[in-house]
């Protein structure tokens, strides 16, 4: 197996648009694929982005990960997304091209890799379309100023270019395949539906009892977890507003930080439900928090394939996700829940629908347990990174190395992951 060093080309690069020393959905995607390919006998290196101005060239890889400089000055933030592909391509040219393929979770990396190595196969593991997602973070879904709109146009241009120049685009649901084709305005995009996986999030024995005691949750209370970056897109305020109509045994556990956090705290007080809402802040190890929860809720306006929901299913927790209702709501997990029955769907545009769905779970614990078991089974049997790894190997004409013919197994190694859309967040306009 080829060792991932700057001087010796690995078989694969996996690129995500965040600092590899950090956390986020994009990094979790890359780590899951890296482990699956390692078990198949192939070496790889995860590449991230260092936004510090004047950052040097490639550093020494640590634990199979390495940042490259973005190549964009902080003074150029107004046109950042127009400049990023060229700056990142310069960093890639200092590295040897991969022996097999370049796999990107970010469209900017797709364009950069194509510029740096025109003959190298480039595979885009689709996480989200920022051109569709970003407006949900703006007040009234309008760019806050002209420069933000200009940078947004650059972002949209990069995403369309990435879909046009990638050799293969893997998307996790039929809904995301349709979204990609509609955005690209053509049917010839080389996109295929392919099951994605999740990274195991372990908790020590006794974590549930200890963590519930810490947050003051009684044995008969039903703790609903919302996890992610507290911004307008995540829409955690919807859950707080609904809580007044939810069974008194229901409590919210909000894990995350972000620009809307203080407003959410104030809203809980104004709505008279502050005693039923726990704000845990950002947490790098989600295992104990999943252990403390009885369900996982998504209130996002745009979320293609959130790790949080998949991790909740893997823990045997029933999940609640919005119905897919574009262009008002993009909910990729609605398709998964509908197929496997691991949770409940609700209409996000109906203010009463969420409270009704929450009350069903709180008042019918047998139903909650049954749904959680279905989700756990689906996560274990279907949503594994080995599926995507095998598809990538087939695309470049490779097979798992070694004498074993067993399918690639997903790692049981715990992964510290705080669930926001890390694949998206770092590329958002200021």
């Amino acid at each position: 197996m080829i060792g991932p060093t700057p001087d010796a080309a690995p078989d694969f690069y996996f690129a995500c648009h965040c600092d590899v020393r950090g956390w986020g959905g994009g990094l979790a995607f890359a780590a899951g694929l890296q482990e699956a390919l390692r078990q198949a006998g192939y070496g790889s290196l995860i590449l991230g982005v260092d936004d510090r101005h004047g950052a040097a060239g490639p550093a020494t890889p640590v634990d199979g990960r390495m940042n490259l400089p973005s190549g964009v000055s902080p003074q150029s933030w107004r046109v950042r997304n127009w400049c990023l592909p060229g700056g990142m391509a310069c960093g890639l040219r200092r590295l040897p091209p991969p022996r097999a393929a370049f796999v990107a979770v970010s469209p900017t990396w797709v364009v950069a890799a194509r510029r740096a190595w025109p003959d190298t196969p480039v595979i885009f593991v689709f996480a989200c379309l920022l051109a569709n997602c970003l407006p949900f973070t703006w007040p009234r879904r309008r760019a806050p100023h002209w420069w933000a709109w200009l940078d947004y146009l650059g972002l949209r241009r990069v995403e369309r270019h990435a879909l046009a120049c990638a050799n293969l685009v893997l998307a996790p649901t039929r809904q995301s395949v349709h979204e990609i084709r509609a955005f690209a305005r053509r049917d010839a995009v080389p996109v295929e539906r392919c099951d994605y996986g999740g990274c195991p999030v372990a908790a020590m024995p006794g974590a549930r009892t200890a963590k519930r005691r810490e947050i003051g949750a009684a044995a008969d209370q039903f703790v609903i977890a919302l996890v992610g970056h507290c911004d307008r897109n995540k829409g955690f305020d919807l859950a707080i507003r609904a809580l007044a109509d939810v069974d008194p045994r229901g409590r919210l556990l909000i894990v995350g930080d972000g620009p809307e956090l203080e407003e959410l705290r104030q809203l809980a007080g104004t709505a008279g439900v502050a005693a039923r809402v726990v704000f845990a802040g950002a947490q790098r190890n989600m295992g104990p928090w999943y252990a403390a929860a009885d369900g996982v809720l998504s209130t996002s306006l745009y979320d293609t394939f959130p790790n949080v929901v998949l991790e909740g299913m893997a823990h045997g927790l029933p999940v609640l996700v919005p119905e897919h209702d574009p262009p008002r709501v993009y909910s990729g997990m609605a398709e998964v829940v509908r197929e496997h029955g691991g949770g409940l769907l609700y209409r996000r545009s109906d203010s009463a629908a969420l409270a009704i769905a929450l009350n069903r779970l709180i008042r019918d614990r047998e139903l909650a347990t049954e749904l959680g078991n279905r989700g756990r089974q689906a996560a274990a049997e279907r949503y594994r990174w080995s599926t995507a790894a095998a598809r990538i190997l087939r695309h470049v004409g490779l097979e798992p190395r070694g004498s074993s013919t067993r399918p690639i197994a997903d790692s049981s190694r715990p992964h510290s992951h705080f669930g926001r859309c890390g694949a998206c967040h770092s590329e958002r306009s200021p």
Side-chain angles (χ1 to χ4, degrees), residues 190-205:
V191 57
E192 298 180 9
R193 199 202 68 75
C194 179
D195 290 333
Y196 288 1
C199 292
V201 182
M204 297 293 291

Side-chain angles (χ1 to χ4, degrees), residues 3-23:
T5 70
D7 300 320
D11 299 305
F12 294 91
Y13 288 118
F14 296 115
C16 55
H17 205 106
C18 62
D19 189 324
V20 296
R21 299 161 297 185
W23 45 264

Side-chain angles (χ1 to χ4, degrees), residues 4 25 199 241 320 365 392:
C199 292
R241 296 179 195 278
L320 290 91
R365 300 301 176 93
I392 290 170

Side-chain angles (χ1 to χ4, degrees), residues 37-321:
L37 266 299
R38 184 194 67 79
Q39 293 189 34
Y42 292 90
S44 63
L45 182 64
I46 295 179
L47 299 179
V49 179
D50 189 341
D51 272 322
R52 293 176 301 171
H53 182 47
T60 302
V62 177
D63 295 330
R65 303 181 181 189
M66 183 173 68
N67 282 327
L68 293 183
S70 68
V72 179
S73 166
Q75 286 72 33
S76 302
W77 66 264
R78 295 177 177 87
V79 290
R80 186 172 187 271
N81 283 310
W82 294 87
C83 303
L84 269 174
M88 292 160 63
C90 290
L92 287 179
R93 292 189 186 103
R94 300 171 184 170
L95 298 176
R99 295 192 177 189
F102 187 94
V103 183
V105 183
S106 154
T108 307
W109 276 116
V110 172
V111 179
R114 179 58 69 217
R115 291 185 183 183
W117 306 310
D119 299 325
T120 296
V122 179
I123 299 170
F124 183 15
V125 178
F126 177 74
C128 75
L129 279 175
L130 281 170
N132 287 346
C133 174
L134 185 57
F136 288 114
T137 70
W138 293 338
R140 299 181 298 279
R141 301 185 192 177
R142 297 179 182 177
H145 44 73
W146 191 87
W147 290 112
W149 175 249
L150 178 64
D151 201 48
Y152 170 78
L153 293 178
L155 174 64
R156 189 169 64 178
R157 178 178 179 272
V158 167
E159 290 189 317
R160 285 210 168 106
H161 189 187
L163 293 173
C165 70
N167 297 99
L168 176 66
V169 181
L170 299 180
T173 62
R174 291 185 296 274
Q175 172 263 314
S176 57
V177 170
H178 296 156
E179 182 186 1
I180 288 170
R181 286 178 172 157
F183 175 78
R185 298 176 180 170
R186 61 193 185 97
D187 294 329
V189 177
V191 57
E192 298 180 9
R193 199 202 68 75
C194 179
D195 290 333
Y196 288 1
C199 292
V201 182
M204 297 293 291
R208 176 176 173 83
T209 300
K211 190 60 67 175
R212 285 177 72 93
R213 184 185 303 116
E214 178 183 328
I215 64 176
D220 66 334
Q221 291 181 327
F222 196 96
V223 178
I224 305 107
L226 297 101
V227 185
H229 193 60
C230 299
D231 60 17
R232 290 184 178 89
N233 177 51
K234 291 299 182 186
F236 292 164
D237 61 298
L238 180 69
I240 294 175
R241 296 179 195 278
L243 196 57
D245 297 319
V246 171
D247 187 295
R249 291 170 292 178
R251 298 190 66 184
L252 297 182
L253 170 63
I254 297 179
V255 184
D257 58 8
E260 301 295 309
L261 181 58
E262 288 307 312
E263 290 190 19
L264 293 174
R265 293 183 190 273
Q266 294 175 15
L267 176 61
T270 303
V273 295
R276 299 171 61 190
V277 183
V278 175
F279 293 92
Q283 301 291 332
R284 294 183 64 87
N285 181 10
M286 281 300 301
W289 300 98
Y290 285 129
D294 299 293
V296 171
L297 168 63
S298 170
T299 52
S300 297
L301 291 158
Y302 183 102
D303 228 336
T304 302
F305 202 73
N307 286 316
V308 169
V309 175
L310 194 60
E311 289 169 354
M313 291 171 59
H315 276 262
L317 300 175
V319 298
L320 290 91
V321 300

